[in-house]
Amino acid sequence: MEVQIMFKETIKPSTSTLQHLKNYKLSLLDQLAPPIYIPVILFYSPTPETSIKEKSDRLKKSFAETLTLFYPLAGRIKNNYYIDCNDEGAFYTEAHVTGEMLMILQDPQVPQIEKLLSFNSQEMSSNEEILAAQVNHFDCGGIAISICIYHQIADGSTMASFATTWAAVASGKAATNIKGMIYDCTSIFPPQKTEGCSWNRFVEKDVLSNSMMKRFVFDRSKLEALREKVVNGSGLAYTGRPSRVETINAVIWGALLEITNLNTAIIAVNLRKRLIPPLSELSIGNIYHLVNCSMNENQIDYPDLVGKIHESIDIVKDDYVRKIHEGGRYFEFMKDVAEKPNLMMNVFAFSSWCRFPFYKVDFGWGNPIWVAPAVKVHNAAVVIDTKDGEGIEAWVGLPKEDMAKFQRIPHICSYASFNPTI
């Protein structure tokens, strides 16, 4: 598959940012976010009734208009403390892909998918732009739109908000209500002097080069069977059915416990609905809390794993979050972790994009036929809905030697399909 760049440029917001909005402070959670970009790629079927030029013009114009609404994304980060909302713009590329989209959909391989991104996934932190988009036109008329956002200003929820708003503007529909969208979280998570608190060592090239990303799909029937197995098991620490995400996290973690010493799970919990008052889903920034749970027992019990995960997530409420951040306690803890990388040796991280409205991103030619979180991670998993909203795709990043063992774990083989055709 050959990707030929047709043009690339930096696009500025269609309207200048007001003077009183020029300085956008980062919250502590923004400052502590990994110095990487988080990418997503949305694949669309061919639509002969709309020409390539018409699509291109519409996307480019609406991209500039959407940047006006998400103005921090067109600025530049200064000293890991604030964004200078100077309207320098975001990176925008259009490319021609030789061949049909079907060649990717029939055999989705991460190295091929990465070619559709604006930046090389292992060299992203060297770029200045906060946001980048690439529109890929296939010979068949299909389109794959990739979006990359720098993690230190945005999380997965922010990326979904940008994508849905861009699509609404492009399709001529009334954009999603953006009142109060830019939310200043510095009052809840005050910024700190983060010099010396670096997370670069956790995304170093030599670590990622030995990692392998693979896609495992749990369809609705297999997922329901897993949930029933947990409900009927012993040791469940709470009543009711476990969530889809809790169940998949437990299955993946349990499999890893059989072959590795990754006995601690870190889970990112979206805080937007957990704070009082709740924040808008459109709120920009890293608005999540990391919880951890450990499993030291030799015998792996999936109901127990689900129970531990559920208990860890369930305590994340408004009073808990505010208390743990009081007096800079959370920062001091994270600084200690960053200064002692050995503490992260036995950790596996989970991030959920489930229920984010990526499959509703309609630019005027229908919803995506597939959404790929094309991020490359080490000892981590990103889970996202299947198109029907009932199953889950798990994108798992492990050292190559661990991945070879992981694929053979009975629970993975029994309940997940490895990289099936879209």
Side-chain angles (χ1 to χ4, degrees):
M1 183 182 78
E2 184 179 359
V3 179
Q4 301 173 324
I5 302 300
M6 298 161 60
F7 71 84
K8 53 185 175 182
E9 62 181 290
T10 299
I11 293 183
K12 300 178 182 296
S14 57
T15 303
S16 299
T17 300
L18 298 175
Q19 190 61 39
H20 72 281
L21 299 176
K22 290 288 187 178
N23 190 316
Y24 179 88
K25 285 187 177 182
L26 299 177
S27 76
L28 173 62
L29 298 185
D30 295 327
Q31 293 177 303
L32 295 179
I36 60 172
Y37 285 71
I38 45 176
V40 67
I41 308 177
L42 303 99
F43 292 81
Y44 295 88
S45 299
T47 51
E49 65 276 8
T50 308
S51 69
I52 290 179
K53 185 180 186 308
E54 183 182 348
K55 290 177 180 177
S56 177
D57 292 344
R58 183 190 302 179
L59 287 169
K60 189 175 177 181
K61 181 176 182 292
S62 57
F63 188 75
E65 293 172 354
T66 307
L67 283 178
T68 296
L69 305 175
F70 288 77
Y71 60 88
L73 302 185
R76 298 293 183 267
I77 296 178
K78 303 295 182 181
N79 302 320
N80 198 35
Y81 191 71
Y82 72 99
I83 297 176
D84 180 5
C85 301
N86 52 18
D87 297 333
E88 284 195 30
F91 194 61
Y92 186 87
T93 307
E94 291 211 23
H96 172 255
V97 184
T98 304
E100 298 190 357
M101 186 185 292
L102 192 61
M103 60 187 173
I104 288 181
L105 301 182
Q106 286 185 333
D107 184 25
Q109 296 293 332
V110 173
Q112 292 289 85
I113 295 171
E114 286 183 320
K115 294 180 181 179
L116 306 176
L117 299 174
S118 300
F119 301 140
N120 182 297
S121 62
Q122 294 188 34
E123 296 178 355
M124 288 179 172
S125 59
S126 64
N127 294 283
E128 294 183 353
E129 290 86 355
I130 292 173
L131 171 70
Q134 180 163 314
V135 180
N136 301 278
H137 300 274
F138 289 80
D139 285 337
C140 62
I143 290 181
I145 299 176
S146 70
I147 302 171
C148 298
I149 295 184
Y150 197 53
H151 206 336
Q152 290 191 295
I153 177 56
D155 55 13
S157 180
T158 302
M159 184 160 57
S161 297
F162 178 84
T164 54
T165 304
W166 181 15
V169 175
S171 62
K173 300 174 184 176
T176 307
N177 181 13
I178 61 164
K179 184 177 180 181
M181 178 186 66
I182 310 298
Y183 192 88
D184 182 359
C185 287
T186 56
S187 61
I188 308 173
F189 315 115
Q192 304 285 339
K193 293 181 179 180
T194 56
E195 293 82 357
C197 184
S198 173
W199 295 91
N200 286 307
R201 60 173 63 95
F202 302 125
V203 290
E204 290 176 348
K205 289 183 182 180
D206 59 341
V207 173
L208 290 176
S209 64
N210 187 46
S211 289
M212 177 178 290
M213 288 294 297
K214 290 201 173 183
R215 167 178 167 261
F216 300 85
V217 179
F218 300 79
D219 64 26
R220 177 182 178 179
S221 61
K222 296 292 180 66
L223 191 48
E224 286 303 308
L226 276 169
R227 295 171 78 183
E228 285 301 319
K229 184 173 182 177
V230 170
V231 168
N232 295 327
S234 61
L236 193 62
Y238 66 103
T239 59
R241 283 169 59 80
S243 73
R244 296 178 309 138
V245 174
E246 289 171 344
T247 302
I248 294 304
N249 287 357
V251 169
I252 293 173
W253 189 24
L256 291 172
L257 287 172
E258 294 186 32
I259 60 171
T260 71
N261 58 354
L262 298 172
N263 59 1
T264 299
I266 291 182
I267 303 167
V269 180
N270 189 348
L271 295 177
R272 288 167 175 81
K273 292 183 178 180
R274 293 174 179 263
L275 295 176
I276 300 175
L279 305 183
S280 166
E281 289 298 310
L282 288 171
S283 300
I284 285 181
N286 290 281
I287 311 175
Y288 62 83
H289 180 73
L290 297 177
V291 301
N292 71 82
C293 45
S294 298
M295 194 75 172
N296 296 318
E297 293 83 359
N298 293 325
Q299 184 175 0
I300 300 168
D301 183 283
Y302 283 93
D304 278 348
L305 286 173
V306 173
K308 285 179 177 290
I309 290 171
H310 178 83
E311 287 180 337
S312 297
I313 294 173
D314 193 51
I315 65 172
V316 182
K317 296 180 172 64
D318 183 84
D319 55 347
Y320 171 85
V321 173
R322 294 178 188 275
K323 184 177 180 179
I324 203 170
H325 280 271
E326 187 178 8
R329 292 170 56 201
Y330 184 75
F331 171 66
E332 291 302 322
F333 168 75
M334 296 300 286
K335 183 178 179 181
D336 185 58
V337 171
E339 291 173 347
K340 299 177 181 177
N342 59 303
L343 294 178
M344 299 293 288
M345 294 295 292
N346 301 329
V347 169
F348 191 85
F350 291 95
S351 178
S352 173
W353 292 8
C354 290
R355 303 307 183 200
F356 291 166
F358 286 115
Y359 278 102
K360 296 180 181 179
V361 179
D362 181 1
F363 289 91
W365 44 78
N367 295 333
I369 56 175
W370 186 44
V371 176
V375 62
K376 189 168 186 178
V377 292
H378 173 73
N379 280 347
V382 177
V383 297
I384 187 171
D385 296 312
T386 51
K387 187 177 181 181
D388 62 7
E390 301 293 337
I392 283 181
E393 290 193 11
W395 292 68
V396 181
L398 288 169
K400 294 174 183 176
E401 57 274 18
D402 290 341
M403 182 63 77
K405 300 175 185 177
F406 179 79
Q407 294 178 157
R408 297 195 294 268
I409 297 296
H411 257 73
I412 300 299
C413 296
S414 299
Y415 292 99
S417 300
F418 170 59
N419 203 31
T421 298
I422 306 303

